[in-house]
Amino acid sequence: MALLTTAPRGTKDILPRDSAKWQYIERTLLTTAALFGYKEMRVPTFEHTELFNRSVGETTDVVNKEMYTFQDKGGRSITLRPEGTAGMARAAIENGLLGDALPVKLSYVLSCFRYEKPQSGRFREFHQFGVEMYGATSPAADAEVIALVHEIYDTLGVEGIQVELNSIGCPTCRKRYHEALKAYFAQYTDQLCPTCLERLEKNPMRILDCKSPVCSAIAEGAPKVLDYLCEDCADHFEQVKALLTQAGISYVVNPTIVRGLDYYTRTVFECVFTDKEGNRLVCGGGGRYGGLLGELGGPDYEGIGFAMGLERLLKVMIDQGCDFPPEETCDVYIASMGDKAGLKAFQLVNLLRSDGFQAQSDLMGRSIKAQMKYANKIGAKYTIVLGDNELEQGEATLKSMYSGSTRTVPLDDRFSDAIYEEIMSTAYADLEDAMEHLEEKK
Ligand code: ATP
Ligand code: MG
Protein backbone atom coordinates (compact mmCIF):
# COMPACT_ATOMS: atom_id res chain seq x y z
CA MET A 1 0.00 0.00 0.00
CA ALA A 2 2.84 2.38 0.84
CA LEU A 3 3.75 2.26 -2.86
CA LEU A 4 0.50 4.06 -3.62
CA THR A 5 1.36 7.03 -1.44
CA THR A 6 5.13 7.14 -1.84
CA ALA A 7 6.77 8.64 -4.94
CA PRO A 8 9.63 6.62 -6.49
CA ARG A 9 13.04 7.25 -4.92
CA GLY A 10 14.82 10.30 -6.27
CA THR A 11 11.66 12.03 -7.54
CA LYS A 12 10.08 15.11 -6.07
CA ASP A 13 6.68 16.76 -6.31
CA ILE A 14 6.68 20.46 -7.03
CA LEU A 15 4.00 21.65 -4.64
CA PRO A 16 1.55 24.53 -5.18
CA ARG A 17 3.43 26.63 -2.61
CA ASP A 18 6.55 26.42 -4.79
CA SER A 19 5.09 26.49 -8.29
CA ALA A 20 5.18 30.31 -8.56
CA LYS A 21 8.94 30.17 -7.89
CA TRP A 22 9.41 27.57 -10.62
CA GLN A 23 7.33 29.57 -13.07
CA TYR A 24 9.33 32.70 -12.27
CA ILE A 25 12.67 30.94 -12.75
CA GLU A 26 11.64 29.24 -15.99
CA ARG A 27 10.15 32.45 -17.38
CA THR A 28 13.24 34.46 -16.48
CA LEU A 29 15.59 31.89 -18.01
CA LEU A 30 13.69 31.72 -21.30
CA THR A 31 13.20 35.47 -21.62
CA THR A 32 16.83 36.21 -20.78
CA ALA A 33 17.90 33.66 -23.41
CA ALA A 34 15.49 35.33 -25.85
CA LEU A 35 17.40 38.61 -25.35
CA PHE A 36 20.38 36.75 -26.80
CA GLY A 37 18.31 35.45 -29.71
CA TYR A 38 17.45 31.95 -28.46
CA LYS A 39 14.10 30.38 -29.34
CA GLU A 40 12.61 27.63 -27.20
CA MET A 41 12.34 24.11 -28.60
CA ARG A 42 10.53 21.20 -26.93
CA VAL A 43 11.70 17.67 -27.61
CA PRO A 44 10.38 14.24 -26.55
CA THR A 45 10.99 12.82 -23.08
CA PHE A 46 12.39 9.62 -24.60
CA GLU A 47 14.57 8.86 -27.59
CA HIS A 48 16.16 5.81 -29.18
CA THR A 49 18.85 4.55 -26.80
CA GLU A 50 21.35 4.65 -29.63
CA LEU A 51 21.13 8.48 -29.74
CA PHE A 52 22.54 8.84 -26.23
CA ASN A 53 25.10 6.04 -26.66
CA ARG A 54 26.44 7.83 -29.70
CA SER A 55 26.33 11.41 -28.52
CA VAL A 56 26.81 11.37 -24.76
CA GLY A 57 29.42 8.65 -25.15
CA GLU A 58 29.86 5.01 -24.12
CA THR A 59 32.56 5.76 -21.56
CA THR A 60 30.63 8.36 -19.59
CA ASP A 61 28.94 7.78 -16.22
CA VAL A 62 25.65 8.88 -17.73
CA VAL A 63 25.61 6.15 -20.39
CA ASN A 64 27.47 3.53 -18.36
CA LYS A 65 25.50 3.64 -15.16
CA GLU A 66 22.73 6.19 -15.09
CA MET A 67 20.34 5.73 -18.02
CA TYR A 68 16.72 4.64 -17.69
CA THR A 69 16.62 2.25 -20.62
CA PHE A 70 13.82 -0.16 -21.45
CA GLN A 71 12.32 -2.08 -24.32
CA ASP A 72 8.98 -0.79 -25.53
CA LYS A 73 6.19 -3.11 -26.63
CA GLY A 74 7.48 -2.95 -30.19
CA GLY A 75 10.86 -4.28 -29.08
CA ARG A 76 12.74 -0.97 -29.53
CA SER A 77 15.34 0.10 -27.04
CA ILE A 78 14.16 3.40 -25.59
CA THR A 79 15.84 5.70 -23.05
CA LEU A 80 14.40 8.50 -20.94
CA ARG A 81 16.56 11.51 -21.78
CA PRO A 82 19.41 11.96 -19.28
CA GLU A 83 20.21 15.42 -20.72
CA GLY A 84 18.98 17.81 -23.39
CA THR A 85 21.79 18.27 -25.90
CA ALA A 86 21.39 14.98 -27.79
CA GLY A 87 17.65 15.32 -28.36
CA MET A 88 18.00 18.99 -29.35
CA ALA A 89 20.67 18.09 -31.92
CA ARG A 90 18.60 15.18 -33.25
CA ALA A 91 15.51 17.40 -33.60
CA ALA A 92 17.47 20.25 -35.24
CA ILE A 93 18.82 17.83 -37.87
CA GLU A 94 15.56 15.97 -38.41
CA ASN A 95 13.52 19.16 -38.83
CA GLY A 96 15.97 20.87 -41.12
CA LEU A 97 16.62 23.74 -38.70
CA LEU A 98 20.29 23.78 -39.65
CA GLY A 99 19.42 25.00 -43.13
CA ASP A 100 18.33 28.34 -41.62
CA ALA A 101 20.55 31.37 -41.22
CA LEU A 102 23.49 30.58 -38.96
CA PRO A 103 24.03 30.51 -36.10
CA VAL A 104 20.90 28.65 -35.01
CA LYS A 105 20.09 29.43 -31.37
CA LEU A 106 17.77 27.20 -29.35
CA SER A 107 16.76 27.08 -25.70
CA TYR A 108 14.97 24.45 -23.60
CA VAL A 109 13.52 23.66 -20.22
CA LEU A 110 13.05 19.95 -19.67
CA SER A 111 13.06 17.09 -17.20
CA CYS A 112 16.00 14.66 -17.20
CA PHE A 113 16.27 11.16 -15.81
CA ARG A 114 19.39 9.59 -14.34
CA TYR A 115 19.62 6.51 -12.17
CA GLU A 116 21.86 8.03 -9.49
CA LYS A 117 22.05 7.72 -5.73
CA PRO A 118 19.64 10.39 -4.49
CA GLN A 119 21.12 12.97 -2.13
CA SER A 120 21.04 16.71 -1.64
CA GLY A 121 20.92 18.34 -5.08
CA ARG A 122 20.89 14.97 -6.83
CA PHE A 123 17.67 13.38 -8.03
CA ARG A 124 16.58 10.66 -10.45
CA GLU A 125 14.21 13.05 -12.15
CA PHE A 126 15.41 16.65 -12.28
CA HIS A 127 15.05 19.67 -14.53
CA GLN A 128 17.44 21.50 -16.76
CA PHE A 129 17.40 24.78 -18.58
CA GLY A 130 19.88 25.03 -21.42
CA VAL A 131 20.77 26.57 -24.74
CA GLU A 132 22.42 25.26 -27.89
CA MET A 133 24.00 27.33 -30.63
CA TYR A 134 24.87 25.64 -33.93
CA GLY A 135 27.17 26.74 -36.72
CA ALA A 136 29.39 29.35 -35.05
CA THR A 137 33.09 28.61 -34.65
CA SER A 138 34.32 32.01 -33.51
CA PRO A 139 35.50 32.55 -29.91
CA ALA A 140 32.83 35.26 -29.66
CA ALA A 141 30.19 32.51 -29.66
CA ASP A 142 31.81 30.81 -26.66
CA ALA A 143 32.09 34.14 -24.86
CA GLU A 144 28.48 35.03 -25.68
CA VAL A 145 27.18 31.82 -24.12
CA ILE A 146 29.14 32.57 -20.96
CA ALA A 147 27.80 36.13 -21.06
CA LEU A 148 24.28 34.66 -21.10
CA VAL A 149 25.07 32.57 -18.03
CA HIS A 150 26.22 35.74 -16.27
CA GLU A 151 23.17 37.70 -17.34
CA ILE A 152 20.93 34.94 -15.98
CA TYR A 153 22.52 34.92 -12.53
CA ASP A 154 22.50 38.68 -12.52
CA THR A 155 18.82 38.93 -13.45
CA LEU A 156 17.86 36.37 -10.81
CA GLY A 157 19.98 38.16 -8.22
CA VAL A 158 22.14 35.11 -7.51
CA GLU A 159 25.55 35.92 -6.12
CA GLY A 160 28.65 33.87 -5.55
CA ILE A 161 28.51 31.67 -8.65
CA GLN A 162 31.84 31.56 -10.40
CA VAL A 163 32.37 30.52 -14.01
CA GLU A 164 35.32 28.13 -14.13
CA LEU A 165 36.77 27.95 -17.60
CA ASN A 166 39.02 25.51 -19.42
CA SER A 167 39.87 24.33 -22.91
CA ILE A 168 40.15 20.63 -23.65
CA GLY A 169 41.47 21.15 -27.19
CA CYS A 170 40.54 19.39 -30.39
CA PRO A 171 41.06 15.74 -31.46
CA THR A 172 44.55 16.70 -32.69
CA CYS A 173 45.84 18.10 -29.41
CA ARG A 174 43.95 15.51 -27.45
CA LYS A 175 45.90 12.66 -29.02
CA ARG A 176 49.09 13.92 -27.42
CA TYR A 177 47.29 14.66 -24.20
CA HIS A 178 45.73 11.17 -24.03
CA GLU A 179 49.18 9.65 -24.38
CA ALA A 180 50.51 11.77 -21.54
CA LEU A 181 47.52 10.84 -19.38
CA LYS A 182 47.89 7.13 -20.15
CA ALA A 183 51.55 7.22 -19.18
CA TYR A 184 50.71 9.05 -15.96
CA PHE A 185 47.77 6.88 -14.87
CA ALA A 186 49.59 3.66 -15.86
CA GLN A 187 51.68 4.17 -12.71
CA TYR A 188 48.54 3.80 -10.59
CA THR A 189 46.80 0.76 -12.09
CA ASP A 190 46.88 -0.94 -8.68
CA GLN A 191 44.81 1.91 -7.14
CA LEU A 192 42.37 3.12 -9.81
CA CYS A 193 38.72 1.96 -9.58
CA PRO A 194 37.60 -0.74 -12.07
CA THR A 195 35.69 1.82 -14.18
CA CYS A 196 38.75 4.03 -14.46
CA LEU A 197 40.91 1.07 -15.42
CA GLU A 198 38.57 0.55 -18.35
CA ARG A 199 38.68 4.30 -19.12
CA LEU A 200 42.47 4.19 -19.12
CA GLU A 201 42.29 2.30 -22.39
CA LYS A 202 39.25 3.87 -24.02
CA ASN A 203 39.16 7.48 -22.79
CA PRO A 204 41.70 8.42 -20.09
CA MET A 205 40.32 11.98 -19.78
CA ARG A 206 37.21 10.54 -18.13
CA ILE A 207 39.37 9.52 -15.15
CA LEU A 208 39.75 13.22 -14.34
CA ASP A 209 36.00 13.35 -13.79
CA CYS A 210 35.79 10.30 -11.49
CA LYS A 211 34.11 10.99 -8.17
CA SER A 212 35.93 8.26 -6.18
CA PRO A 213 38.25 9.94 -3.64
CA VAL A 214 41.21 7.70 -4.58
CA CYS A 215 40.93 8.37 -8.31
CA SER A 216 40.40 12.12 -7.80
CA ALA A 217 43.46 12.30 -5.54
CA ILE A 218 45.56 10.59 -8.22
CA ALA A 219 44.00 12.84 -10.88
CA GLU A 220 45.25 15.94 -9.08
CA GLY A 221 48.81 15.23 -10.15
CA ALA A 222 47.89 14.39 -13.76
CA PRO A 223 49.24 16.42 -16.71
CA LYS A 224 47.12 19.51 -17.48
CA VAL A 225 45.35 19.73 -20.83
CA LEU A 226 46.19 23.43 -21.26
CA ASP A 227 49.84 22.45 -21.65
CA TYR A 228 48.94 20.26 -24.65
CA LEU A 229 46.79 22.61 -26.75
CA CYS A 230 47.73 23.05 -30.41
CA GLU A 231 48.31 26.59 -31.64
CA ASP A 232 44.78 27.06 -33.01
CA CYS A 233 43.12 25.83 -29.84
CA ALA A 234 45.39 27.92 -27.62
CA ASP A 235 44.62 30.96 -29.75
CA HIS A 236 40.87 30.30 -29.56
CA PHE A 237 41.08 30.02 -25.77
CA GLU A 238 43.05 33.27 -25.49
CA GLN A 239 40.41 35.08 -27.54
CA VAL A 240 37.53 33.74 -25.44
CA LYS A 241 39.29 35.03 -22.33
CA ALA A 242 40.04 38.40 -23.95
CA LEU A 243 36.38 38.87 -24.94
CA LEU A 244 35.17 38.05 -21.42
CA THR A 245 37.72 40.38 -19.87
CA GLN A 246 36.76 43.16 -22.29
CA ALA A 247 33.08 42.82 -21.34
CA GLY A 248 33.89 42.74 -17.62
CA ILE A 249 32.59 39.18 -17.22
CA SER A 250 34.41 37.41 -14.43
CA TYR A 251 35.79 33.86 -14.74
CA VAL A 252 38.63 31.79 -13.40
CA VAL A 253 40.63 29.25 -15.37
CA ASN A 254 40.35 25.79 -13.86
CA PRO A 255 42.49 23.33 -15.86
CA THR A 256 40.90 20.29 -14.19
CA ILE A 257 37.44 20.73 -15.74
CA VAL A 258 36.81 18.15 -18.47
CA ARG A 259 32.98 17.84 -18.28
CA GLY A 260 31.09 14.60 -17.99
CA LEU A 261 30.04 14.07 -21.60
CA ASP A 262 32.15 12.92 -24.51
CA TYR A 263 31.33 15.40 -27.21
CA TYR A 264 33.13 18.50 -25.96
CA THR A 265 36.02 20.22 -27.78
CA ARG A 266 37.91 23.38 -26.89
CA THR A 267 35.95 25.58 -24.45
CA VAL A 268 34.39 23.89 -21.43
CA PHE A 269 33.08 25.60 -18.31
CA GLU A 270 31.20 25.00 -15.12
CA CYS A 271 29.20 27.35 -12.91
CA VAL A 272 30.24 26.64 -9.36
CA PHE A 273 28.60 27.86 -6.21
CA THR A 274 30.74 27.70 -3.10
CA ASP A 275 28.87 28.01 0.20
CA LYS A 276 30.16 29.50 3.47
CA GLU A 277 31.54 26.13 4.55
CA GLY A 278 33.50 25.89 1.31
CA ASN A 279 31.34 23.14 -0.26
CA ARG A 280 31.24 23.28 -4.06
CA LEU A 281 27.91 22.87 -5.78
CA VAL A 282 28.09 22.63 -9.57
CA CYS A 283 24.99 24.47 -10.78
CA GLY A 284 25.59 24.17 -14.49
CA GLY A 285 28.08 23.58 -17.21
CA GLY A 286 28.65 23.60 -20.89
CA GLY A 287 31.06 24.06 -23.70
CA ARG A 288 31.79 23.67 -27.36
CA TYR A 289 31.22 20.39 -29.12
CA GLY A 290 32.79 19.62 -32.42
CA GLY A 291 31.76 16.27 -33.73
CA LEU A 292 28.25 15.82 -32.41
CA LEU A 293 26.08 17.05 -35.29
CA GLY A 294 28.20 15.24 -37.86
CA GLU A 295 28.20 12.07 -35.75
CA LEU A 296 24.39 12.09 -35.79
CA GLY A 297 24.26 12.44 -39.58
CA GLY A 298 23.83 16.20 -39.71
CA PRO A 299 26.06 18.85 -41.27
CA ASP A 300 29.52 19.17 -39.85
CA TYR A 301 28.69 22.27 -37.82
CA GLU A 302 30.10 22.95 -34.42
CA GLY A 303 27.80 23.49 -31.50
CA ILE A 304 28.13 25.26 -28.22
CA GLY A 305 25.79 25.25 -25.28
CA PHE A 306 25.24 24.87 -21.61
CA ALA A 307 22.74 23.42 -19.16
CA MET A 308 21.90 24.23 -15.59
CA GLY A 309 20.06 22.14 -13.02
CA LEU A 310 16.95 23.96 -11.86
CA GLU A 311 16.65 22.18 -8.49
CA ARG A 312 20.18 23.32 -7.63
CA LEU A 313 19.51 26.85 -8.90
CA LEU A 314 16.36 27.10 -6.78
CA LYS A 315 18.20 25.76 -3.73
CA VAL A 316 20.94 28.37 -4.07
CA MET A 317 18.35 31.11 -4.57
CA ILE A 318 16.39 30.10 -1.48
CA ASP A 319 19.53 29.64 0.65
CA GLN A 320 20.68 33.11 -0.40
CA GLY A 321 17.33 34.73 0.26
CA CYS A 322 16.96 35.90 -3.36
CA ASP A 323 13.80 37.84 -4.18
CA PHE A 324 10.89 36.12 -5.85
CA PRO A 325 7.88 38.02 -7.17
CA PRO A 326 5.01 38.13 -4.68
CA GLU A 327 2.58 35.28 -5.11
CA GLU A 328 -0.66 36.03 -6.93
CA THR A 329 -3.55 35.87 -4.51
CA CYS A 330 -7.26 36.43 -4.86
CA ASP A 331 -8.06 40.03 -5.82
CA VAL A 332 -11.75 39.94 -4.97
CA TYR A 333 -13.80 37.43 -3.02
CA ILE A 334 -17.56 37.78 -3.46
CA ALA A 335 -19.47 36.30 -0.55
CA SER A 336 -23.18 35.71 -0.97
CA MET A 337 -26.22 34.98 1.13
CA GLY A 338 -29.12 33.11 -0.45
CA ASP A 339 -29.71 31.58 -3.89
CA LYS A 340 -30.34 34.81 -5.78
CA ALA A 341 -27.20 36.46 -4.45
CA GLY A 342 -25.30 33.23 -5.26
CA LEU A 343 -26.41 33.54 -8.90
CA LYS A 344 -25.27 37.15 -9.04
CA ALA A 345 -21.94 36.35 -7.36
CA PHE A 346 -21.30 33.64 -9.96
CA GLN A 347 -21.95 36.14 -12.77
CA LEU A 348 -19.77 38.85 -11.22
CA VAL A 349 -16.71 36.67 -10.53
CA ASN A 350 -16.78 35.55 -14.14
CA LEU A 351 -17.00 39.16 -15.28
CA LEU A 352 -14.00 40.04 -13.11
CA ARG A 353 -11.96 37.10 -14.41
CA SER A 354 -12.50 38.05 -18.02
CA ASP A 355 -11.19 41.49 -17.06
CA GLY A 356 -8.04 39.91 -15.64
CA PHE A 357 -8.78 39.86 -11.90
CA GLN A 358 -8.37 36.79 -9.78
CA ALA A 359 -11.87 36.41 -8.34
CA GLN A 360 -13.57 33.74 -6.28
CA SER A 361 -17.01 33.02 -4.84
CA ASP A 362 -18.49 30.37 -2.58
CA LEU A 363 -18.48 26.79 -3.92
CA MET A 364 -19.12 25.09 -0.59
CA GLY A 365 -22.55 26.40 0.48
CA ARG A 366 -20.94 28.06 3.50
CA SER A 367 -22.42 30.66 5.86
CA ILE A 368 -21.34 34.27 5.36
CA LYS A 369 -19.09 34.03 8.39
CA ALA A 370 -17.38 30.92 7.07
CA GLN A 371 -17.04 32.49 3.61
CA MET A 372 -15.26 35.51 5.08
CA LYS A 373 -12.97 33.24 7.05
CA TYR A 374 -12.09 31.45 3.83
CA ALA A 375 -11.51 34.76 2.01
CA ASN A 376 -9.07 35.68 4.75
CA LYS A 377 -7.33 32.33 4.54
CA ILE A 378 -6.71 32.60 0.80
CA GLY A 379 -5.39 36.15 1.23
CA ALA A 380 -8.17 37.93 -0.69
CA LYS A 381 -7.31 41.61 -1.11
CA TYR A 382 -10.93 42.79 -1.34
CA THR A 383 -14.27 41.31 -0.39
CA ILE A 384 -17.86 42.03 -1.33
CA VAL A 385 -20.88 40.69 0.51
CA LEU A 386 -24.02 40.19 -1.56
CA GLY A 387 -27.43 39.77 0.05
CA ASP A 388 -31.02 40.74 -0.80
CA ASN A 389 -30.36 44.39 0.11
CA GLU A 390 -27.46 44.72 -2.29
CA LEU A 391 -29.42 43.09 -5.11
CA GLU A 392 -32.33 45.43 -4.55
CA GLN A 393 -30.16 48.54 -4.50
CA GLY A 394 -27.96 47.40 -7.37
CA GLU A 395 -24.80 48.23 -5.47
CA ALA A 396 -22.56 46.68 -2.87
CA THR A 397 -19.65 47.52 -0.62
CA LEU A 398 -16.13 46.67 -1.71
CA LYS A 399 -13.94 46.30 1.35
CA SER A 400 -10.17 46.31 1.43
CA MET A 401 -8.97 43.46 3.62
CA TYR A 402 -5.71 45.31 4.30
CA SER A 403 -6.82 48.82 5.22
CA GLY A 404 -10.46 48.15 6.02
CA SER A 405 -11.43 51.05 3.71
CA THR A 406 -14.72 50.69 1.84
CA ARG A 407 -16.26 51.93 -1.37
CA THR A 408 -19.63 51.45 -2.99
CA VAL A 409 -19.58 49.71 -6.36
CA PRO A 410 -22.46 49.36 -8.87
CA LEU A 411 -23.47 45.79 -9.70
CA ASP A 412 -23.96 46.48 -13.41
CA ASP A 413 -21.61 46.76 -16.37
CA ARG A 414 -19.61 49.45 -14.53
CA PHE A 415 -18.66 46.83 -11.91
CA SER A 416 -15.19 45.85 -13.20
CA ASP A 417 -14.23 49.47 -13.89
CA ALA A 418 -15.19 50.54 -10.39
CA ILE A 419 -13.08 47.75 -8.91
CA TYR A 420 -10.17 48.56 -11.17
CA GLU A 421 -10.36 52.21 -10.09
CA GLU A 422 -10.38 51.29 -6.43
CA ILE A 423 -7.44 48.88 -6.78
CA MET A 424 -5.47 51.47 -8.75
CA SER A 425 -6.25 54.25 -6.30
CA THR A 426 -5.11 52.19 -3.32
CA ALA A 427 -2.02 51.09 -5.24
CA TYR A 428 -1.45 54.76 -6.01
CA ALA A 429 -1.99 55.78 -2.39
CA ASP A 430 0.52 53.12 -1.34
CA LEU A 431 2.98 54.56 -3.84
CA GLU A 432 2.37 58.09 -2.54
CA ASP A 433 2.96 56.87 1.02
CA ALA A 434 6.24 55.37 -0.08
CA MET A 435 7.30 58.58 -1.86
CA GLU A 436 6.41 60.68 1.19
CA HIS A 437 8.41 58.34 3.35
CA LEU A 438 11.40 58.73 1.05
CA GLU A 439 11.07 62.53 1.09
CA GLU A 440 10.99 62.52 4.89
CA LYS A 441 14.14 60.43 4.96
CA LYS A 442 15.94 63.00 2.83
P1 ATP B 1 27.52 16.13 -11.41
O1 ATP B 1 29.00 16.24 -11.55
O2 ATP B 1 26.95 16.91 -10.25
O3 ATP B 1 27.03 14.71 -11.46
P2 ATP B 1 27.07 16.35 -14.20
O4 ATP B 1 28.38 16.73 -14.75
O5 ATP B 1 26.61 14.94 -14.26
O6 ATP B 1 26.92 16.87 -12.68
P3 ATP B 1 25.69 17.70 -16.31
O7 ATP B 1 25.50 16.48 -17.11
O8 ATP B 1 26.70 18.70 -16.70
O9 ATP B 1 25.93 17.29 -14.79
O10 ATP B 1 24.28 18.44 -16.13
C1 ATP B 1 24.17 19.85 -16.00
C2 ATP B 1 23.58 20.24 -14.67
O11 ATP B 1 22.44 19.47 -14.37
C3 ATP B 1 24.49 20.01 -13.48
O12 ATP B 1 25.42 21.04 -13.34
C4 ATP B 1 23.52 19.99 -12.35
O13 ATP B 1 23.16 21.30 -11.96
C5 ATP B 1 22.33 19.31 -12.95
N1 ATP B 1 22.29 17.88 -12.59
C6 ATP B 1 23.00 16.86 -13.14
N2 ATP B 1 22.65 15.69 -12.58
C7 ATP B 1 21.68 15.98 -11.67
C8 ATP B 1 20.90 15.19 -10.77
N3 ATP B 1 21.00 13.87 -10.71
N4 ATP B 1 19.98 15.82 -9.98
C9 ATP B 1 19.84 17.17 -10.03
N5 ATP B 1 20.55 17.96 -10.86
C10 ATP B 1 21.45 17.38 -11.67
MG1 MG C 1 26.57 13.38 -12.92
Side-chain angles (χ1 to χ4, degrees):
M1 273 318 262
L3 284 182
L4 297 184
T5 47
T6 313
R9 222 164 109 72
T11 65
K12 221 175 149 191
D13 301 306
I14 294 173
L15 298 174
R17 61 167 175 262
D18 292 324
S19 58
K21 292 191 176 70
W22 278 85
Q23 287 167 1
Y24 164 67
I25 287 180
E26 291 176 1
R27 196 170 58 236
T28 307
L29 293 170
L30 289 170
T31 48
T32 309
L35 294 177
F36 285 70
Y38 290 88
K39 286 207 169 125
E40 189 193 3
M41 180 156 79
R42 300 185 188 191
V43 292
T45 308
F46 55 86
E47 300 272 358
H48 295 120
T49 302
E50 185 60 18
L51 176 70
F52 300 114
N53 288 349
R54 276 291 190 93
S55 56
V56 178
E58 309 261 11
T59 57
T60 58
D61 272 357
V62 169
V63 168
N64 254 329
K65 310 188 210 160
E66 299 171 358
M67 291 210 303
Y68 276 92
T69 297
F70 60 96
Q71 242 192 23
D72 74 4
K73 290 196 166 63
R76 302 169 197 88
S77 181
I78 293 292
T79 294
L80 303 184
R81 62 181 171 222
E83 51 98 60
T85 298
M88 294 291 281
R90 193 267 311 137
I93 297 168
E94 181 172 348
N95 296 288
L97 304 188
L98 301 170
D100 287 349
L102 297 179
V104 173
K105 292 177 167 183
L106 306 169
S107 60
Y108 61 83
V109 173
L110 42 76
S111 50
C112 300
F113 306 85
R114 297 187 191 178
Y115 194 77
E116 297 198 73
K117 196 162 163 233
Q119 48 191 283
S120 164
R122 198 171 291 286
F123 305 95
R124 290 184 173 169
E125 181 184 19
F126 61 99
H127 298 80
Q128 280 189 348
F129 159 79
V131 300
E132 312 290 347
M133 177 181 348
Y134 304 122
T137 53
S138 89
D142 310 49
E144 196 190 85
V145 170
I146 294 168
L148 168 58
V149 172
H150 261 264
E151 190 59 37
I152 283 169
Y153 290 132
D154 212 43
T155 308
L156 290 172
V158 185
E159 284 169 9
I161 292 188
Q162 181 70 260
V163 171
E164 299 190 354
L165 189 63
N166 192 23
S167 172
I168 55 172
C170 62
T172 316
C173 22
R174 214 166 306 155
K175 230 183 236 154
R176 282 203 313 137
Y177 183 53
H178 276 184
E179 276 160 26
L181 279 181
K182 274 187 189 168
Y184 172 80
F185 285 118
Q187 308 170 75
Y188 299 97
T189 44
D190 53 335
Q191 294 172 48
L192 291 173
C193 75
T195 324
C196 281
L197 278 178
E198 233 174 84
R199 289 166 168 156
L200 184 56
E201 282 317 307
K202 291 189 198 150
N203 192 348
M205 248 168 72
R206 281 278 76 75
I207 304 176
L208 301 175
D209 218 27
C210 183
K211 289 197 174 73
S212 113
V214 180
C215 298
S216 16
I218 298 171
E220 271 176 34
K224 302 283 179 278
V225 62
L226 288 178
D227 297 328
Y228 291 81
L229 295 187
C230 66
E231 215 181 308
D232 283 351
C233 287
D235 189 44
H236 186 97
F237 192 49
E238 285 312 311
Q239 289 188 56
V240 173
K241 289 191 291 182
L243 285 155
L244 292 174
T245 307
Q246 172 78 22
I249 293 166
S250 72
Y251 64 89
V252 291
V253 173
N254 178 352
T256 64
I257 290 175
V258 293
R259 304 283 304 131
L261 315 179
D262 258 2
Y263 43 65
Y264 288 100
T265 49
R266 292 192 168 172
T267 309
V268 289
F269 63 91
E270 283 185 344
C271 313
V272 183
F273 178 73
T274 310
D275 68 15
K276 288 188 199 93
E277 287 79 44
N279 302 312
R280 281 164 60 92
L281 183 68
V282 182
C283 291
R288 176 173 286 284
Y289 39 94
L292 177 65
L293 293 170
E295 175 79 20
L296 299 180
D300 226 0
Y301 294 156
E302 292 202 5
I304 178 158
F306 86 93
M308 57 170 73
L310 299 191
E311 284 78 3
R312 291 188 197 178
L313 173 65
L314 182 63
K315 183 177 172 348
V316 170
M317 287 182 68
I318 289 174
D319 287 355
Q320 276 191 7
C322 289
D323 285 337
F324 289 92
E327 259 182 64
E328 296 289 323
T329 54
C330 177
D331 292 313
V332 184
Y333 184 88
I334 303 185
S336 60
M337 216 169 1
D339 290 347
K340 256 191 174 163
L343 276 174
K344 189 71 184 170
F346 186 79
Q347 179 204 350
L348 292 176
V349 286
N350 275 298
L351 207 78
L352 285 175
R353 289 165 187 156
S354 52
D355 285 328
F357 296 102
Q358 198 204 113
Q360 311 228 38
S361 61
D362 178 50
L363 301 175
M364 305 293 291
R366 286 184 172 121
S367 70
I368 282 286
K369 202 172 149 208
Q371 288 182 52
M372 295 309 281
K373 214 166 145 189
Y374 177 74
N376 217 355
K377 223 174 187 172
I378 61 172
K381 297 177 193 113
Y382 292 87
T383 52
I384 289 173
V385 178
L386 290 187
D388 290 342
N389 271 349
E390 282 76 13
L391 296 187
E392 254 165 51
Q393 282 158 21
E395 49 185 43
T397 305
L398 177 72
K399 182 176 170 191
S400 160
M401 298 294 273
Y402 296 143
S403 66
S405 67
T406 57
R407 170 188 176 138
T408 305
V409 290
L411 299 179
D412 52 27
D413 52 9
R414 293 167 300 166
F415 181 65
S416 275
D417 284 349
I419 285 181
Y420 179 75
E421 246 171 51
E422 177 65 15
I423 290 183
M424 287 317 280
S425 73
T426 42
Y428 198 72
D430 286 349
L431 198 69
E432 279 190 332
D433 276 354
M435 299 290 271
E436 252 169 47
H437 184 71
L438 269 180
E439 283 296 315
E440 275 167 23
K441 266 181 110 179
K442 272 188 202 160

